[in-house]
Amino acid sequence: QDIEHGRWPIWKATLTMISDAPIFGHGWGTFEALLPGYRPEPTGIFYDHAHNEYLEVMAESGIVGLSVLAWMIFLFLRRAAATLSAPLKPIERKTLFWLTVAITSVLIHSAADFGLRTPGVAFTFALLVALYSRVSEEPSLLTDEAPASKARSRTESRGRAGPT
């Protein structure tokens, strides 16, 4: 019911919007203002978003914006594949796996909703991406071994360099 009478008409209107400005789109944040002019008939349901993040990005920023988004997703998936195929300790593998699942689930959910346009969801997603980026660069941050050994080596080098 929701697809047939709600999202599908909005998606068709969004595709028409995209066809009118396919390269650069209509501008960030213009979707809600422009949508009424693209809807062929009122459905009785108010929509201020496309309920598909990828279509809305393309309507607002065109193929240029969608290409940037697709490139970022590609880089994430490439890093996820490389990181998860590397030799890792169990805690590192589990943490990186579940961070990957969390990020991927938001990306999949974005094909049927606009969660990333909700500040709380967007902030949480940005936090997950930042955490994933840092931990995937240096998985040993998840264990006490790396920081302690670095701190120990700094203490030892200071002890040797100081006056006797």
Side-chain angles (χ1 to χ4, degrees), residues 2-4 6-8 10-11 14 31 47-57 69 73 104-118 121:
D2 183 47
I3 291 289
E4 183 181 332
R7 290 189 174 145
W8 183 242
I10 297 303
W11 290 346
T14 304
F31 185 85
Y47 281 91
D48 56 353
H49 293 285
H51 288 268
N52 182 315
E53 192 66 44
Y54 306 104
L55 285 177
E56 192 163 337
V57 165
L69 179 60
I73 292 170
T104 303
S105 66
V106 172
L107 295 174
I108 291 169
H109 184 256
S110 293
D113 210 351
F114 59 94
L116 291 174
R117 306 237 174 194
T118 305
V121 175

Side-chain angles (χ1 to χ4, degrees), residues 3-142:
I3 291 289
E4 183 181 332
H5 297 292
R7 290 189 174 145
W8 183 242
I10 297 303
W11 290 346
K12 287 194 311 191
T14 304
L15 290 170
T16 304
M17 194 183 297
I18 291 167
S19 69
D20 285 348
I23 307 299
F24 296 108
H26 294 277
W28 285 108
T30 59
F31 185 85
E32 182 180 359
L34 294 176
L35 182 62
Y38 284 93
R39 291 182 74 169
E41 59 193 51
T43 61
I45 302 172
F46 174 75
Y47 281 91
D48 56 353
H49 293 285
H51 288 268
N52 182 315
E53 192 66 44
Y54 306 104
L55 285 177
E56 192 163 337
V57 165
M58 189 150 176
E60 293 182 343
S61 63
I63 193 72
V64 172
L66 189 64
S67 297
V68 170
L69 179 60
W71 181 249
M72 289 188 292
I73 292 170
F74 167 76
L75 292 176
F76 162 71
L77 293 174
R78 185 176 73 175
R79 178 179 269 190
T83 303
L84 292 173
S85 64
L88 297 169
K89 293 178 181 171
I91 187 69
E92 296 167 352
R93 182 167 307 286
K94 286 177 189 174
T95 302
L96 285 163
F97 173 78
W98 287 113
L99 284 170
T100 301
V101 167
I103 293 167
T104 303
S105 66
V106 172
L107 295 174
I108 291 169
H109 184 256
S110 293
D113 210 351
F114 59 94
L116 291 174
R117 306 237 174 194
T118 305
V121 175
F123 176 77
T124 304
F125 182 73
L127 186 63
L128 285 170
V129 170
L131 182 60
Y132 178 84
S133 295
R134 184 65 180 111
V135 171
S136 65
E137 286 176 5
E138 195 173 338
S140 63
L141 289 171
L142 297 169

